[in-house]
Amino acid sequence: MTVLVTGGRGLVGSHVIEALHAAGEQVRAFVGDVTDPATWRRAAAGERGEVRGIVHAAALVAPRATFAEFERVNVGGTRLAVETARATGARLVHVSSAAVYGRAAAYAAGSDAVAVTEDFPFAPIPEYDFYARTKRMAEELVRDEAARGGLSAAAIRPNVIYGERDRLFTPRVMAVVRRGFAPQIGPGTNHLSCVYAGNVAAAIIAALDRPLAGFRAYNVTRDAAPELTQREFFTAFAEAQKVRLRFVPVPVPIARLGAQLWTRWLRLRDPRRYAGLGSAAVDFLVGENPYAVARAQQELGWIARFDARTAIRRAVAGF
């Protein structure tokens, strides 16, 4: 029995492949364009039932691409993953995102001490947030197809992911703290909604091994205890690089203004292309982690293997 993994060269997919190999699973890495039906047919070739699970981790995340390109990859690729799961009888685990809730709404709820569970209502997403819009579209596609019957599927909803082979968040944090100075937005005592890729992979494996009928979504948005504050998180990156770090206080209104001006400038340059997160990035940096993970723990038996300090050391060593 084989598990087919898309995005195997990416952050989440590569950690999933490592975890599957460690568990003694047969793994088939999807190589090629996830929007090409012929490539999917080749990847899933064999007798029905040979592929027991599909982990769809491939996605367009944050390049400056058009909405049409985000939709082609994130929605079109997911549609083919669903079709392949139906054709093979495989369990589908779709790597979604906590962005489907609407970033601002989730952090506003967190500031009011409201836990964002998987039943939290979806809120409007800004037009320019192409990633969040297409990830919501992709997850709704999986949910609706599962509701038709004949498809067993789970959606894993991480927020910001870091770790070895990350090409976005991790190298940027490392570069900032390597200078010896880092901005501290607000008091720095909030807990960031970050999760190590190895912990996400563990949740994906658990979702493969505990199939439930129909569709079910799971937040996977924090590492094992103890949770780190904003200051502690960046300090841990500095310590892993043997850098003495000093913080430069930045008032939250100034940070929001800077983020908004930067996003506005990018959108003026080319309004057709993805232009970053704007004030949503500041919400992430200053907001308390609003996402509840109890459902994944209780229904999947998911246990985050790595605490943040251990995970950060592993991530930095990987670079």
Side-chain angles (χ1 to χ4, degrees):
M1 301 288 281
T2 299
V3 177
L4 174 63
V5 181
T6 72
R9 294 177 180 173
L11 174 59
V12 174
S14 64
H15 280 81
V16 170
I17 289 174
E18 285 183 353
L20 288 168
H21 279 309
E25 293 272 7
Q26 295 289 327
V27 182
R28 187 178 299 169
F30 186 105
V31 177
D33 182 0
V34 294
T35 68
D36 177 31
T39 305
W40 275 98
R41 286 193 294 270
R42 288 193 298 270
E47 296 181 2
R48 179 177 172 83
E50 179 182 342
V51 176
R52 79 169 184 92
I54 298 173
V55 176
H56 182 45
L60 199 58
V61 181
R64 295 203 61 228
T66 63
F67 178 78
E69 183 64 8
F70 271 87
E71 186 176 25
R72 186 183 75 85
V73 175
N74 293 352
V75 183
T78 302
R79 181 174 289 107
L80 291 174
V82 168
E83 292 175 2
T84 305
R86 284 196 183 279
T88 59
R91 162 80 163 166
L92 174 63
V93 179
H94 169 64
V95 181
S96 184
S97 169
V100 299
Y101 295 109
R103 304 178 202 263
Y107 278 99
S111 67
D112 293 333
V114 175
V116 176
T117 70
E118 291 82 355
D119 297 321
F120 187 81
F122 286 177
I125 296 174
E127 181 182 358
Y128 60 81
D129 194 346
F130 299 167
Y131 174 76
R133 286 173 59 194
T134 55
K135 290 302 281 186
R136 180 185 287 183
M137 292 166 65
E139 185 183 306
E140 288 177 336
L141 170 67
V142 175
R143 182 200 63 201
D144 293 346
E145 287 295 316
R148 289 176 50 208
L151 176 68
S152 172
I156 302 298
R157 295 173 178 169
N159 197 25
V160 174
I161 311 172
Y162 67 97
E164 311 93 294
R165 299 176 292 281
D166 180 14
R167 293 188 288 270
L168 295 172
F169 181 71
T170 306
R172 290 176 184 174
V173 173
M174 291 175 62
V176 168
V177 303
R178 196 179 297 124
R179 300 170 189 157
F181 295 91
Q184 176 187 301
I185 315 298
T189 55
N190 60 297
H191 300 90
L192 300 178
S193 177
C194 290
V195 60
Y196 177 55
N199 289 330
V200 178
I204 290 169
I205 303 305
L208 279 172
D209 292 340
R210 292 172 175 80
L212 301 172
F215 172 83
R216 198 73 163 152
Y218 299 96
N219 293 340
V220 179
T221 52
R222 62 189 68 206
D223 297 318
E227 293 186 72
L228 301 186
T229 64
Q230 178 196 144
R231 281 182 63 98
E232 291 169 340
F233 186 82
F234 290 106
T235 299
F237 265 95
E239 291 172 346
Q241 295 179 91
K242 297 180 171 54
V243 172
R244 182 181 176 184
L245 185 64
R246 286 183 281 184
F247 288 93
V248 179
V250 178
V252 175
I254 298 299
R256 289 195 187 282
L257 177 62
Q260 290 167 357
L261 291 174
W262 174 250
T263 301
R264 188 175 303 170
W265 181 74
L266 289 175
R267 293 177 66 195
L268 286 172
R269 288 183 64 191
D270 190 344
R272 300 170 301 168
R273 294 184 177 273
Y274 181 69
L277 300 179
S279 60
V282 181
D283 289 336
F284 161 73
L285 286 171
V286 303
E288 189 64 29
N289 185 350
Y291 304 103
V293 297
R295 179 186 288 183
Q297 294 169 334
Q298 294 166 5
E299 294 186 4
L300 300 180
W302 171 63
I303 299 173
R305 289 184 55 206
F306 300 96
D307 66 88
R309 285 192 173 87
T310 301
I312 288 168
R313 288 194 295 269
R314 290 171 63 91
V316 170
F319 280 84

